[in-house]
Coordinates of all heavy atoms in Angstrom, one line a residue:
V142 N 86.2 -178.0 72.9 CA 87.6 -178.4 73.0 C 88.4 -177.1 73.3 O 88.3 -176.2 72.7 CB 88.2 -179.0 71.6 CG1 89.6 -179.4 71.8 CG2 87.3 -180.1 71.2
E143 N 89.1 -177.3 74.5 CA 90.0 -176.3 74.9 C 91.4 -176.8 75.1 O 91.7 -178.0 75.2 CB 89.5 -175.5 76.3 CG 88.1 -174.9 76.0 CD 87.6 -174.2 77.3 OE1 88.5 -174.1 78.3 OE2 86.5 -173.8 77.3
T144 N 92.4 -175.8 75.2 CA 93.8 -176.2 75.3 C 94.5 -175.5 76.5 O 94.0 -174.5 77.0 CB 94.6 -175.9 74.1 OG1 94.6 -174.5 73.9 CG2 93.9 -176.6 72.9
A145 N 95.5 -176.2 77.1 CA 96.4 -175.5 78.1 C 97.9 -176.0 77.8 O 98.1 -177.1 77.4 CB 96.0 -176.0 79.5
S146 N 98.8 -175.1 78.1 CA 100.1 -175.3 77.8 C 100.9 -176.1 78.8 O 102.0 -176.6 78.5 CB 100.9 -174.0 77.5 OG 100.9 -173.1 78.7
D147 N 100.3 -176.1 80.1 CA 101.0 -176.9 81.1 C 100.0 -177.3 82.1 O 98.8 -176.9 82.0 CB 102.2 -176.1 81.8 CG 101.7 -174.7 82.3 OD1 100.6 -174.7 82.9 OD2 102.5 -173.7 82.3
A148 N 100.5 -178.2 83.1 CA 99.5 -178.8 84.1 C 99.0 -177.6 85.1 O 97.8 -177.7 85.4 CB 100.3 -179.7 84.9
E149 N 99.7 -176.6 85.3 CA 99.2 -175.6 86.2 C 98.1 -174.8 85.5 O 97.1 -174.5 86.2 CB 100.4 -174.6 86.5 CG 101.4 -175.2 87.5 CD 102.5 -176.0 86.8 OE1 102.4 -176.2 85.5 OE2 103.4 -176.3 87.5
A150 N 98.3 -174.5 84.3 CA 97.2 -173.9 83.5 C 95.9 -174.7 83.4 O 94.8 -174.2 83.4 CB 97.7 -173.4 82.1
A151 N 96.1 -176.0 83.3 CA 95.0 -176.9 83.2 C 94.2 -177.0 84.5 O 93.1 -176.9 84.5 CB 95.5 -178.4 82.8
L152 N 94.9 -177.0 85.6 CA 94.3 -177.0 86.9 C 93.5 -175.8 87.1 O 92.5 -175.8 87.8 CB 95.3 -177.2 88.1 CG 95.9 -178.6 88.1 CD1 97.1 -178.7 89.1 CD2 94.8 -179.8 88.3
E153 N 94.1 -174.6 86.7 CA 93.4 -173.3 86.8 C 92.0 -173.4 86.0 O 91.0 -172.8 86.4 CB 94.2 -172.2 86.3 CG 95.3 -171.8 87.3 CD 96.2 -170.7 86.7 OE1 95.9 -170.1 85.7 OE2 97.2 -170.5 87.4
K154 N 92.1 -174.0 84.8 CA 90.8 -174.1 84.0 C 89.8 -174.9 84.7 O 88.6 -174.6 84.6 CB 91.2 -174.7 82.6 CG 91.8 -173.8 81.7 CD 92.0 -174.4 80.3 CE 92.4 -173.4 79.2 NZ 91.3 -172.5 78.8
F155 N 90.2 -176.0 85.5 CA 89.3 -176.8 86.1 C 88.5 -176.0 87.3 O 87.5 -176.4 87.8 CB 90.0 -178.1 86.8 CG 89.9 -179.2 85.9 CD1 90.8 -179.4 84.9 CD2 88.8 -180.1 85.9 CE1 90.7 -180.6 84.1 CE2 88.7 -181.1 85.1 CZ 89.7 -181.4 84.2
E156 N 89.2 -174.9 87.7 CA 88.5 -174.1 88.8 C 87.4 -173.3 88.2 O 86.5 -172.9 88.9 CB 89.6 -173.1 89.4 CG 90.7 -173.9 90.3 CD 91.7 -172.8 90.7 OE1 91.5 -171.6 90.5 OE2 92.7 -173.3 91.4
Q157 N 87.4 -173.1 86.9 CA 86.3 -172.3 86.2 C 85.3 -173.2 85.5 O 84.2 -172.7 85.2 CB 87.0 -171.3 85.2 CG 88.0 -170.5 85.8 CD 87.6 -169.6 86.9 OE1 86.4 -169.0 86.8 NE2 88.3 -169.3 87.9
S158 N 85.7 -174.4 85.1 CA 84.9 -175.3 84.3 C 85.2 -176.7 84.6 O 85.9 -177.0 85.5 CB 85.1 -174.8 82.8 OG 84.2 -175.6 82.0
T159 N 84.3 -177.5 83.9 CA 84.5 -179.0 84.0 C 84.7 -179.6 82.7 O 84.2 -179.1 81.7 CB 83.2 -179.6 84.7 OG1 83.0 -179.0 86.0 CG2 83.4 -181.0 84.9
Y160 N 85.6 -180.7 82.6 CA 85.9 -181.4 81.4 C 85.7 -182.8 81.7 O 86.0 -183.4 82.7 CB 87.3 -181.1 80.9 CG 87.7 -179.6 80.8 CD1 88.1 -178.9 81.9 CD2 87.4 -179.0 79.6 CE1 88.3 -177.5 81.7 CE2 87.7 -177.6 79.4 CZ 88.1 -176.9 80.5 OH 88.4 -175.6 80.4
Q161 N 85.1 -183.5 80.6 CA 84.8 -184.9 80.8 C 86.1 -185.7 80.3 O 86.2 -186.9 80.7 CB 83.6 -185.3 79.9 CG 82.3 -184.9 80.5 CD 82.1 -183.5 80.6 OE1 82.2 -182.8 79.6 NE2 81.8 -183.0 81.8
L162 N 87.0 -185.1 79.5 CA 88.2 -185.8 79.1 C 89.4 -184.8 79.0 O 89.2 -183.7 78.5 CB 87.9 -186.5 77.6 CG 89.2 -187.1 77.0 CD1 89.6 -188.3 77.7 CD2 88.8 -187.5 75.6
V163 N 90.5 -185.4 79.6 CA 91.7 -184.6 79.4 C 92.7 -185.4 78.6 O 92.9 -186.6 78.8 CB 92.3 -184.2 80.8 CG1 93.7 -183.7 80.7 CG2 91.5 -183.3 81.6
I164 N 93.3 -184.8 77.6 CA 94.5 -185.5 76.9 C 95.7 -184.7 77.3 O 95.8 -183.5 76.9 CB 94.2 -185.4 75.3 CG1 92.9 -186.1 75.0 CG2 95.3 -186.1 74.6 CD1 92.4 -186.0 73.6
A165 N 96.6 -185.4 77.9 CA 97.8 -184.6 78.4 C 99.1 -185.4 78.1 O 99.1 -186.7 78.2 CB 97.6 -184.6 80.0

């Protein structure tokens, strides 16, 4: 389980890893 404070940070995380579920 990881977190991001906004959508831009979330998209940056997807460049480094993969998530099966996003709760936004």
